[in-house]
Amino acid sequence: MEYQLLFAEVLYKELKDELDLEKIFKLIEKPKHSEMGDFAFPCFELAKIFRKAPNQIALELAEQLEMPPLFEKVQAVSGYVNVFLAQEEVSASVVADVIQSKAHYGKQDHGNGEVITIDFSSPNIAKPFSMGHLRSTVIGHSLARISEKNGFEVVRINHLGDWGTQFGKLIAAYKLWGDEEKIRENPIKELLTLYVKFHDEAEHDESLIDEGRLWFKRLEDGDQEARDLWEWFRDESLKKFNSIYELLGVSFDSTQGEAFYNDKMERVVQLLEKKQLLKESDGALVVETVEGMPPCLIKKKDGTTLYATRDLAAALYRHETYGSERSLYVVGNEQTLHFKQLFDVLEKMGYEWSRGLKHVPFGMMLKDGRKMSTRKGKVVLLEEVLKEAVSLARQNIADKNPSLAEKEQVAYQVGTGAVIFHDLKNHRLNDVEFSLDTMLKFEGETGPYVQYTHARASSILRKGSYHENVDQLSFSDVQSWPVVKSLMDFPDAVKRAFEGNDPSQVAKYVLDLAKTFNQYYGNVRILDAVEGRQTKLSLVHAVQVVLKEGLHLLGVEAPEEM
């Protein structure tokens, strides 16, 4: 990254009358083949400005450039100015930087301490935590870490689905058929059973629907019994959710769900009235949005508020409480219209900070090409998937390395890491096909492959009795250069991941680094080396550091042994 900027600055001295520094930096390419150099600047855009052929411009530029010492050679080829880095000096500098920086390597300062709120996961209380919730949870968790790496202060928010008519139905079902002891033993399963039974029975007895409405009205009015039952269902659900979050290594700064905003919505309605944005439509209150979008419904005909009202209240509360100028909402594709309306209404209300709000959509989790969904109470439970993944990892360890220390911990790290990595290696907008067998393979584009590469690097360092020392690194071999170049790319991957809200940039990066390192390991005798042994071990250590930090940004552990 810094060498690309250095090259851009050198070019800028010659081209400042034609192009600005940022434009030059963006035009610089990384050639696919090493014989074409480490960076290349295309001169085609300058052809119109100078009214010369790109080849001629490249030749003249190559002669004029005064390259700093860390650049070894400049050449003009087919309309490009290609530059070659001084491999020995740059290698020593990069490896020393990684080792001395450790987990701070690749850290950016774009955020400059600015607060960013990230709304993710958001399961519904009293319903199972299914595979459908995995994507929002792991994408949001990774984006939080990536944002911190880019210099932001992050507030992690789990906006729980803990309000609505379904709670009236659930309370009614509990009063009719509930068993307190059973719910305490297995809350989510029992509450779901009650919820499903309520809907089955309501098909034959319509009075149950009225009973559900009555209990929700009592809950809204603050009835003590309804409130106590609702809080109990919420608390029991949270305990179960937290055990899953613990498995995934996910935590939150706020778990204030929809119910928290009940007493904050009237203010939103008043603000909209004051700003003369509310209009009546068939007895309901709406805000007209930009052309091409339906109006945003604020209050129903019967006076009840909706998701939009609640989310407007939440946006105001978060901005006022945390001072955030940016907010990410990691919610599925199907909510795209809702967020467009939400952001448009906030902008119409005159809040400039609304421009910093962003919906981060994602595709579906598929099983055999079909969407995973709740059908008559049957769901694919995330907890069961994670436990099965850990069990398969445990079996792999028993087959391949039965004498491994900390077997249980490693099985957990590999099993959960495989599930998380399988999701995040895909661009978030793509649908993801679920397959435990594919996830847990130790070769190919999988989490265990990257984890195993980290464990291999750790093993080499132990066997080589490595002691950290970066004073006399000497890279005279050609095999190490691809690994060094890959290490250099890490800060750029971190930046791209943040700018695109795209953890797959980091996942693809660690896969590439692991592959490049394994090729190096296959061609170089590291532990048998007498000359340059310390340098080779230092390179291995640098790879270990970056693989661990890359996996950390994805929410995946990096075992020392596997």
Side-chain angles (χ1 to χ4, degrees):
M1 179 77 172
E2 62 182 281
Y3 299 103
Q4 183 174 334
L5 181 57
L6 201 56
F7 180 34
E9 286 170 348
V10 171
L11 286 163
Y12 180 63
K13 285 177 185 175
E14 300 298 328
L15 300 172
K16 58 187 173 188
D17 293 333
E18 286 75 35
L19 298 172
D20 62 34
L21 181 61
E22 188 180 351
K23 175 74 172 173
I24 292 169
F25 180 82
K26 285 180 177 174
L27 281 171
I28 293 171
E29 300 173 10
K30 292 176 185 175
K32 288 182 181 177
H33 304 292
S34 56
E35 63 270 18
M36 301 302 291
D38 298 305
F39 299 108
F41 178 73
C43 297
F44 306 99
E45 209 163 306
L46 294 169
K48 288 179 184 175
I49 298 169
F50 291 124
R51 297 189 178 182
K52 289 182 184 178
N55 290 10
Q56 186 60 34
I57 297 168
L59 282 166
E60 290 172 8
L61 256 181
E63 286 176 11
Q64 292 163 357
L65 295 179
E66 292 181 21
M67 300 305 297
L70 289 172
F71 288 85
E72 197 169 60
K73 187 170 69 171
V74 185
Q75 65 179 28
V77 179
S78 304
Y80 286 85
V81 176
N82 297 340
V83 292
F84 296 76
L85 291 166
Q87 293 184 12
E88 288 191 38
E89 292 89 338
V90 169
S91 295
S93 173
V94 169
V95 170
D97 186 17
V98 173
I99 291 171
Q100 289 167 337
S101 301
K102 302 251 177 343
H104 293 290
Y105 180 66
K107 189 166 176 61
Q108 318 277 320
D109 59 3
H110 314 304
N112 200 25
E114 183 187 322
V115 176
I116 182 170
T117 62
I118 304 184
D119 179 330
F120 65 104
S121 195
S122 309
N124 291 318
I125 292 298
K127 288 187 180 176
F129 202 119
S130 72
M131 279 300 291
H133 294 102
L134 175 71
R135 301 220 67 198
S136 174
T137 305
V138 298
I139 292 168
H141 181 51
S142 179
L143 288 177
R145 289 186 169 180
I146 289 166
S147 298
E148 285 170 338
K149 189 81 172 175
N150 277 273
F152 289 85
E153 184 185 329
V154 177
V155 179
R156 295 161 168 83
I157 296 172
N158 193 357
H159 187 73
L160 296 166
D162 62 359
W163 202 250
T165 53
Q166 71 266 32
F167 289 98
K169 295 173 184 177
L170 197 56
I171 292 169
Y174 174 74
K175 294 292 289 181
L176 287 166
W177 312 295
D179 183 324
E180 183 178 341
E181 206 169 301
K182 276 187 176 180
I183 290 174
R184 292 201 186 278
E185 280 174 17
N186 199 337
I188 303 294
K189 184 187 173 193
E190 288 305 318
L191 290 171
L192 179 65
T193 300
L194 286 174
Y195 190 70
V196 171
K197 183 171 183 176
F198 181 90
H199 281 278
D200 287 344
E201 296 291 330
E203 286 182 16
H204 313 294
D205 183 358
E206 288 183 9
S207 69
L208 284 174
I209 300 296
D210 293 330
E211 185 76 5
R213 284 199 191 104
L214 180 65
W215 272 108
F216 184 57
K217 181 76 168 64
R218 287 175 67 174
L219 180 60
E220 284 192 304
D221 293 342
D223 176 85
Q224 196 58 52
E225 185 183 9
R227 187 85 192 175
D228 288 346
L229 285 170
W230 172 79
E231 283 181 358
W232 178 40
F233 297 159
R234 189 182 192 277
D235 291 346
E236 291 297 332
S237 297
L238 268 176
K239 281 181 203 169
K240 192 65 177 172
F241 292 163
N242 285 336
S243 70
I244 295 165
Y245 290 133
E246 202 173 318
L247 270 175
L248 291 168
V250 173
S251 61
F252 297 92
D253 301 299
S254 166
T255 53
Q256 289 161 344
E258 292 178 37
F260 178 76
Y261 298 100
N262 277 347
D263 62 354
K264 297 169 181 60
M265 289 188 289
E266 193 51 43
R267 178 195 171 203
V268 171
V269 177
Q270 288 170 4
L271 281 168
L272 289 167
E273 279 177 346
K274 188 179 176 183
K275 293 172 186 289
Q276 299 182 330
L277 291 169
L278 279 183
K279 291 187 177 178
E280 195 174 316
S281 175
D282 296 328
L285 292 177
V286 302
V287 175
E288 295 289 347
T289 52
V290 293
E291 197 177 335
M293 275 200 297
C296 183
L297 192 54
I298 301 297
K299 242 183 185 181
K300 282 186 184 175
K301 198 173 183 178
D302 62 6
T304 55
T305 48
L306 292 105
Y307 284 123
T309 330
R310 218 172 286 275
D311 276 353
L312 287 166
L316 285 167
Y317 175 84
R318 290 169 190 176
H319 176 72
E320 290 165 359
T321 305
Y322 305 117
S324 54
E325 295 291 326
R326 297 196 197 203
S327 294
L328 301 181
Y329 294 81
V330 187
V331 185
N333 281 326
E334 64 277 6
Q335 293 295 321
T336 297
L337 174 61
H338 167 74
F339 285 108
K340 280 182 179 175
Q341 290 178 315
L342 179 72
F343 302 158
D344 186 58
V345 171
L346 286 165
E347 193 169 342
K348 282 184 165 58
M349 292 174 82
Y351 298 121
E352 283 191 23
W353 49 264
S354 67
R355 291 170 193 164
L357 307 183
K358 189 168 181 61
H359 175 213
V360 181
F362 51 86
M364 293 184 293
M365 178 68 75
L366 306 176
K367 177 75 173 156
D368 301 323
R370 295 181 179 180
K371 182 183 177 182
M372 289 186 171
S373 60
T374 307
R375 284 184 193 155
K376 297 183 180 177
K378 292 180 181 178
V379 292
V380 181
L381 297 177
L382 177 56
E383 185 178 28
E384 288 178 9
V385 168
L386 291 171
K387 285 180 176 174
E388 190 180 343
V390 172
S391 177
L392 285 169
R394 193 182 291 123
Q395 187 58 52
N396 270 341
I397 292 166
D399 293 343
K400 293 175 182 175
N401 191 4
S403 60
L404 178 69
E406 307 290 347
K407 282 198 273 276
E408 197 54 36
Q409 184 185 357
V410 174
Y412 152 75
Q413 291 173 328
V414 173
T416 56
V419 174
I420 295 167
F421 193 92
H422 180 72
D423 189 301
L424 295 181
K425 74 177 183 182
N426 297 280
H427 188 279
R428 59 179 167 77
L429 289 173
N430 296 338
D431 294 336
V432 176
E433 180 68 34
F434 172 77
S435 165
L436 265 182
D437 291 339
T438 304
M439 289 178 195
L440 283 155
K441 285 181 179 170
F442 278 71
E443 60 280 330
E445 297 188 345
T446 67
Y449 170 72
V450 181
Q451 288 174 314
Y452 184 69
T453 306
H454 175 270
R456 169 178 276 171
S458 303
S459 171
I460 294 167
L461 295 173
R462 283 193 301 274
K463 288 175 182 174
S465 303
Y466 171 73
H467 296 289
E468 194 174 297
N469 183 355
V470 296
D471 291 338
Q472 293 181 318
L473 299 177
S474 176
F475 288 90
S476 54
D477 64 314
V478 293
Q479 293 98 329
S480 60
W481 184 236
V483 182
V484 172
K485 284 181 74 174
S486 188
L487 292 170
M488 284 165 55
D489 287 341
F490 182 57
D492 195 38
V494 169
K495 183 170 178 276
R496 287 197 315 272
F498 174 76
E499 289 175 345
N501 296 309
D502 179 17
S504 75
Q505 294 290 336
V506 175
K508 288 180 177 117
Y509 169 81
V510 291
L511 281 167
D512 287 343
L513 176 59
K515 183 180 174 185
T516 305
F517 172 72
N518 284 323
Q519 287 169 345
Y520 173 78
Y521 174 77
N523 291 318
V524 176
R525 299 179 75 83
I526 300 169
L527 294 173
D528 295 343
V530 177
E531 192 178 336
R533 179 185 166 104
Q534 176 65 22
T535 295
K536 289 180 174 66
L537 288 173
S538 294
L539 181 63
V540 173
H541 182 36
V543 169
Q544 179 205 36
V545 166
V546 176
L547 284 178
K548 183 174 183 176
E549 180 59 10
L551 286 170
H552 170 77
L553 293 179
L554 299 170
V556 176
E557 298 279 338
E560 297 280 320
E561 293 183 79
M562 277 173 72

